[in-house]
Amino acid sequence: QVQVVESGGGLVQPGGSLRLSCVASRSIFSYNVRWYRQAPGKERELVATISSAGAAVYAISGKGRFTISRDNAKNTVYLQMNSLKPEDTAVYYCNVGAWPQGQGTQVTVSS
């Protein structure tokens, strides 16, 4: 069964950075990959998408601060998050195509 594992979250001060990783158990070469987030009491929000060709699209909330990238050789997609704000606090998930998502990784931005 296909598995996706997110990691890299943690507690960071406002203005800090984190790099999230999404590792899949098999090749992601032909798939679009999306990072989502969900904060307590809020709906799931699309953060960024990277196409199979490497084209990236960002939600307004992360534009200019977040960078999505992929390493197909490692079956991995990254989300580099800079200038983090308290409102970025959420559980972050990745979706590879229509595969089941993972458990997510918690990001907490607080002083």
Side-chain angles (χ1 to χ4, degrees):
Q1 185 174 349
V2 172
Q3 281 190 313
V4 171
V5 179
E6 302 95 338
S7 63
L11 173 63
V12 63
Q13 291 187 342
S17 298
L18 286 172
R19 189 176 80 155
L20 307 184
S21 298
C22 166
V23 181
S25 59
R26 62 179 173 94
S27 176
I28 62 170
F29 178 78
S30 60
Y31 293 93
N32 298 336
V33 180
R34 295 174 174 83
W35 279 101
Y36 291 87
R37 68 186 182 186
Q38 188 162 22
K42 295 189 177 181
E43 293 189 356
R44 191 172 76 157
E45 174 190 11
L46 177 62
V47 175
T49 302
I50 187 163
S51 74
S52 57
V57 178
Y58 301 94
I60 290 174
S61 59
K63 193 169 289 186
R65 300 187 298 126
F66 295 175
T67 302
I68 189 171
S69 61
R70 62 193 297 156
D71 185 340
N72 290 334
K74 296 182 179 179
N75 297 336
T76 301
V77 172
Y78 304 99
L79 184 67
Q80 177 69 43
M81 304 189 296
N82 300 327
S83 302
L84 283 162
K85 306 174 182 179
E87 51 263 43
D88 294 318
T89 295
V91 179
Y92 285 70
Y93 303 89
C94 73
N95 277 84
V96 180
W99 298 355
Q101 70 181 26
Q103 295 298 307
T105 186
Q106 175 71 48
V107 172
T108 303
V109 184
S110 175
S111 56

